[in-house]
Amino acid sequence: MNIRFGDRLFKIVAYIFGALIFILFLLMIAKLYQGSSATINQYGLSFIFNSEWSPYNDEFGAWPFIIGTVISSLLALLIAAPVSIGIAIYLVEIAPRWIRTPVSFLVELLAAIPSIVYGLWGIFVLAPFVRNHIAPIFTETLGTKIPLFAGPSYGVGLLTAGIVLAIMITPTIASISREVISTVPNSQREAAYALGATKWEMISTSVLTYARSGILGAMIIGLGRAIGETMAVTMVIGNSPEIPKSIFDPAYTMASVIANEFTEATSNLYVSALIEIGLLLFFVTIFVNVIARLLVWSVSRGTQEVK
Amino acid sequence: MGIEVNNLNAWYGDLHAIKDINLNIPKNQVTALIGPSGCGKSTFLRCLNRMHEVIEGARVKGEILVDGEDIYGSNVDPVTIRYRIGMVFQKPNPFPTMSIFDNVAAGLKLNGMRNKKKIREIVEQSLEAAGLWDEVSDRLDKNAMGLSGGQQQRLCIARTLAVNPEIVLMDEPTSALDPISTHKIEELVHRLKENYTIVIVTHNMQQAARVSDNTAFFLNGEVIEYNTTKHIFSNPSDQRTEDYITGRFG
Ligand SMILES: Nc1ncnc2c1ncn2[C@@H]1O[C@H](COP(=O)(O)OP(=O)(O)O)[C@@H](O)[C@H]1O
Ligand SMILES: [Mg+2]
């Protein structure tokens, strides 16, 4: 009797909290939408694809920020994914037990470093390094033919932001991939071994194919982090609202422009433009995260089937 | 030539799971390993194709001669041993992201075969040999997880046969299956011994009596008695064997 009452109470409270989250979520969208009504009315959908951003002329388009966000995040993913998956494979499949725990801990510690510290490191260490050592390698070779790798490099820019972001999302991708890989049943590894697979063949045949959608999910969660990251990127990307032509060009991201310009936004339209960028950012991150969850969920369902 | 096991010992860390076993397993016969749970049957079986050592902290000492050659010899690559000595596991473990065809072809591809026509031929032969061809020939490209448990286990047998091993090890291959599937696999085992040497772990006494030519009774990591199946089941020499097969313990 008592237990049943407690059960029911708990259920009701849980429902209330669940509903609360949903309501908050809708409220946020509504509020952002309301705040950006000025630009939505003035530009409609063309706000997204307009690449002109000059507050002095009251001209607002989000395209440079969308491009900057997408490219810096994809660059980060391109760098972080192989490294993170390598770390995850090493930790689950190769490292002896006494190395596993401290290294996992260290990787997760990377995630705990405040992003401003990454930003400082990016400015004072990485940016000069990119300018003096990494950029010349590309600009003097590939850069002479492919504009994507052409110089000059000012240090700050897309590539520097991509590298900083890559380091920041590596712990995320590595630790989720590690979890996914450790859910691969041993029977799958044994199946490959028993057919005469070497360790590497076993990893590629059994482990990676089994875990692939989960690893993809981890990558997308990492991408989501990169898309939303603000502080460190703002410090190293160069903050220039132009469409970048080379990976060494300065650029701007959606999160950075909001952080940088919100305090100086004087006109109604300016504020509204920034809020609409916030709304777009909100949708992009939700979209990316939903896809990631679905992928991870599909792999865990796969695990049950095999049981 | 069959398998000759000399002074075999195996450990998990400090746990001494296999204690000084000597056993001769004849070619082209079915040898059953029986004994209560935890007595070391699986461990022993996994020593026979060097699968034991893939477990962290696991160790083996002793000699196992296959065709006169010690598979634990210092210059022997365990990978080639596992290629020659196939293994079927307790729970069917097809590769869940692969089609039926790709599951059977997996071992061939691992071992570098690229000839599509040859692969197709071997896949068909192996499915035939595993008694599964008629049931799956029209859906080879479908995912393997769509098969029933018994079909999955026969698929795993086909996958093992595809790499053309000399010896097939089976660890309680029917313990997760219904009686009809079990029956099919027992028939299969009977047919396969014409071409393969088979070692099968079972804790089903009737199964051992039905399918095997020889039986080894394990207890606490030791072989208590090893003889023809007929002898073990009709006239065991050791009291403990008799107790076990008459169901008085275990
Ligand atoms: N992966 C493992 N790690 C540690 N000990 C194990 C492992 N597998 C089996 N053992 C132990 O080794 C002994 C023999 O086990 P096993 O060969 O699986 O027995 P059986 O197959 O006859 O039931 C048991 O005491 C068991 O607890
Ligand atoms: Mg067992």
Side-chain angles (χ1 to χ4, degrees), chain B:
Chain B
M1 221 173 292
I3 310 168
E4 188 183 330
V5 179
N6 295 322
N7 305 318
L8 188 75
N9 286 274
W11 292 264
Y12 294 98
D14 294 333
L15 182 89
H16 195 173
I18 294 294
K19 298 166 190 154
D20 222 19
I21 288 184
N22 293 280
L23 214 60
N24 270 319
I25 298 170
K27 192 180 167 85
N28 289 54
Q29 294 191 7
V30 178
T31 300
L33 313 180
I34 62 168
S37 186
C39 67
K41 306 180 295 293
S42 298
T43 308
F44 176 75
L45 197 71
R46 295 164 60 90
C47 289
L48 296 180
N49 69 340
R50 300 198 58 172
M51 282 288 282
H52 179 64
E53 63 207 75
V54 304
I55 293 169
E56 206 174 323
R59 219 151 39 85
V60 181
K61 219 180 105 198
E63 192 179 61
I64 296 179
L65 305 177
V66 174
D67 288 344
E69 185 203 4
D70 184 10
I71 64 168
Y72 283 95
S74 57
N75 52 358
V76 175
D77 181 1
V79 169
T80 61
I81 295 301
R82 292 180 206 129
Y83 183 58
R84 287 172 53 201
I85 307 178
M87 187 164 215
V88 177
F89 299 85
Q90 191 164 353
K91 270 194 285 182
N93 57 353
F95 297 120
T97 55
M98 293 185 196
S99 68
I100 293 171
F101 184 94
D102 288 343
N103 259 283
V104 183
L108 300 173
K109 288 181 182 160
L110 278 174
N111 290 284
M113 189 179 290
R114 291 287 171 268
N115 183 337
K116 286 235 167 67
K117 192 160 154 266
K118 190 95 187 285
I119 292 178
R120 183 157 278 280
E121 230 172 75
I122 296 178
V123 167
E124 181 173 340
Q125 281 168 9
S126 309
L127 285 167
E128 283 280 8
L132 192 59
W133 175 253
D134 294 338
E135 291 160 60
V136 301
S137 59
D138 58 339
R139 47 171 170 156
L140 293 175
D141 56 337
K142 295 281 185 310
N143 189 283
M145 302 319 286
L147 299 174
S148 74
Q151 289 173 323
Q152 286 183 21
Q153 191 63 302
R154 280 180 285 147
L155 180 69
C156 292
I157 294 175
R159 180 175 68 184
T160 302
L161 299 182
V163 295
N164 195 25
E166 301 146 42
I167 299 165
V168 177
L169 310 174
M170 299 181 164
D171 192 352
E172 304 193 29
T174 63
S175 69
L177 306 181
D178 61 273
I180 292 172
S181 304
T182 299
H183 179 68
K184 281 191 179 148
I185 288 187
E186 287 181 6
E187 282 188 328
L188 180 57
V189 168
H190 202 73
R191 258 189 291 127
L192 288 176
K193 74 174 175 184
E194 196 179 313
N195 298 313
Y196 305 91
T197 304
I198 294 176
V199 185
I200 183 170
V201 171
T202 174
H203 65 218
N204 176 333
M205 237 57 63
Q206 284 79 29
Q207 182 168 73
R210 279 193 303 262
V211 303
S212 70
D213 304 300
N214 314 290
T215 298
F217 173 58
F218 279 65
L219 194 61
N220 298 325
E222 290 173 271
V223 173
I224 301 301
E225 191 169 351
Y226 177 50
N227 213 319
T228 61
T229 300
K230 202 181 269 167
H231 189 265
I232 293 266
F233 280 89
S234 59
N235 187 18
S237 338
D238 196 290
Q239 187 60 41
R240 292 167 292 182
T241 314
E242 184 169 352
D243 288 348
Y244 181 71
I245 59 176
T246 53
R248 246 168 281 170
F249 77 86

